[in-house]
Amino acid sequence: MKIIDMRCRPAYLHDFFGKTPGGPDYEVVKWLNARVGTRGDLEHFTRSATPEGFLAEVAAAGLTRAVVVGRHTPGQHLPNDTIHRITAASPLLEGIGSVDIITQGRQTALDEAERAILTLGLRGIDLEPGFGTPPRHADDPAFFPLYELLQGLDVPLYLMSGPTTPDPRFNDPAPVANVARQFPRLRIAAYHGFWPNVAGILGVAFRHENVFLIPDMYVFQPGSQLYIEAANGFLRDQLLFGSSYPFRPIRQSIEDFQALGLKDRVLEKVLHDNAARLLKL
């Protein structure tokens, strides 16, 4: 079966992903692996401490593609050039760029987003409104110029969400409906699927077919069966798979995902076809 992992980062990318053994971030990676149900070695991610090791992990898991996601927030910056350098090394890898229109300024961020897509060949732009200073909702008008650019370029917007949002009030899916309504040709994909606010984001995705959900490691948490129920119905073309590696093993995540109860044809869509369409592969 063809499989595209929509959220997959190597340990060597940053300390946040376990790059440096013995540090506080390294311990957090181990803690999060335990928290989301990793079985066996909680330090499995050390195998991706080198570029060669990461590619070996991707190949061993049987992935058709692994998507490496950039990040640009006041607390962490994974530059677009770094994402490009990693993903250009293998046809198995694709990259998502990032900008912070608040700290970079409007025109600088727009120029960088355009460069990331048209020059570097990245497949979309990641935005993290709730991680900003100050935190914002996705429908803050400050982001609208970026949405207009991405809609015009016909590339997806990737929104960070979920329980790691510093202030959980900004893990609210309702503003996404406003964005989807005002930018109906903009494809919007929500990393972490706004868990634990599952019913709310499903309501948004029911109404707006340009909203896609990537619950990744949270699809294995309590309350997430609603994603699966929805995917066996209206959400079959809008749910995508992500392992959240290095915070969960790729191969285990695939096996666990296959056991969640998706219908066979829906499973093919969620593991591959929906992502291939979103990424234009």
Side-chain angles (χ1 to χ4, degrees):
M1 182 176 288
K2 294 181 178 179
I3 302 170
I4 297 175
D5 187 340
M6 287 296 299
R7 193 170 182 84
C8 189
R9 289 73 46 92
Y12 74 84
L13 177 58
H14 193 277
D15 278 348
F16 182 76
F17 303 111
K19 179 180 179 180
T20 306
D25 287 327
Y26 188 88
E27 293 303 314
V28 170
V29 178
K30 290 171 58 180
W31 173 85
L32 191 52
N33 267 275
R35 198 74 169 166
V36 298
T38 292
R39 297 187 294 273
D41 184 9
L42 295 181
E43 297 180 273
H44 65 89
F45 54 88
T46 58
R47 294 192 289 269
S48 67
T50 65
E52 296 77 17
F54 178 53
L55 286 174
E57 281 290 280
V58 169
L63 294 179
T64 306
R65 291 285 201 287
V67 179
V68 183
V69 187
R71 191 175 204 184
H72 197 155
T73 70
Q76 186 182 119
H77 184 201
L78 307 175
N80 295 324
D81 288 302
T82 298
I83 302 301
H84 169 67
R85 184 170 64 252
I86 291 171
T87 56
S90 171
L92 288 175
L93 305 179
E94 301 290 346
I96 301 298
S98 60
V99 297
D100 184 348
I101 200 168
I102 305 303
T103 61
Q104 291 177 283
R106 170 177 170 168
Q107 196 56 52
T108 298
L110 295 180
D111 290 345
E112 176 59 14
E114 191 168 22
R115 186 184 76 91
I117 294 159
L118 299 181
T119 302
L120 300 181
L122 302 183
R123 299 282 183 169
I125 295 295
D126 176 76
L127 185 68
E128 310 202 4
F131 289 76
T133 305
R136 300 168 186 261
H137 291 291
D139 63 348
D140 192 302
F143 302 127
F144 285 10
L146 176 63
Y147 300 162
E148 290 172 1
L149 173 69
L150 297 179
Q151 182 172 254
L153 293 173
D154 193 25
V155 296
L157 165 72
Y158 293 86
L159 289 174
M160 177 68 163
S161 69
T164 58
T165 304
D167 183 338
R169 290 175 296 180
F170 291 88
N171 186 37
D172 180 3
V176 179
N178 190 30
V179 177
R181 183 176 63 253
Q182 295 199 52
F183 299 91
R185 292 183 292 106
L186 176 63
R187 289 168 294 151
I188 305 163
Y191 281 124
H192 297 343
F194 281 89
W195 188 86
N197 301 316
V198 182
I201 191 61
L202 288 178
V204 173
F206 178 87
R207 176 63 181 82
H208 300 282
E209 292 184 50
N210 58 326
V211 173
F212 300 81
L213 305 183
I214 311 169
D216 43 81
M217 62 187 176
Y218 296 108
V219 79
F220 308 112
Q221 303 309 308
S224 293
Q225 187 60 28
L226 289 176
Y227 294 121
I228 304 306
E229 292 178 25
N232 280 327
F234 76 87
L235 199 69
R236 59 187 174 275
D237 296 319
Q238 294 166 262
L239 188 69
L240 292 79
F241 168 76
S243 69
S244 281
Y245 184 85
F247 301 120
R248 210 173 192 274
I250 304 171
R251 184 74 248 171
Q252 180 195 324
S253 294
I254 294 170
E255 294 170 354
D256 289 350
F257 196 86
Q258 291 171 324
L260 289 176
L262 288 169
K263 299 174 183 176
D264 288 345
R265 178 63 188 115
V266 173
L267 188 62
E268 292 177 8
K269 286 175 174 280
V270 175
L271 284 176
H272 178 269
D273 297 354
N274 295 343
R277 189 176 71 256
L278 187 67
L279 296 168
K280 291 190 172 181
L281 298 178

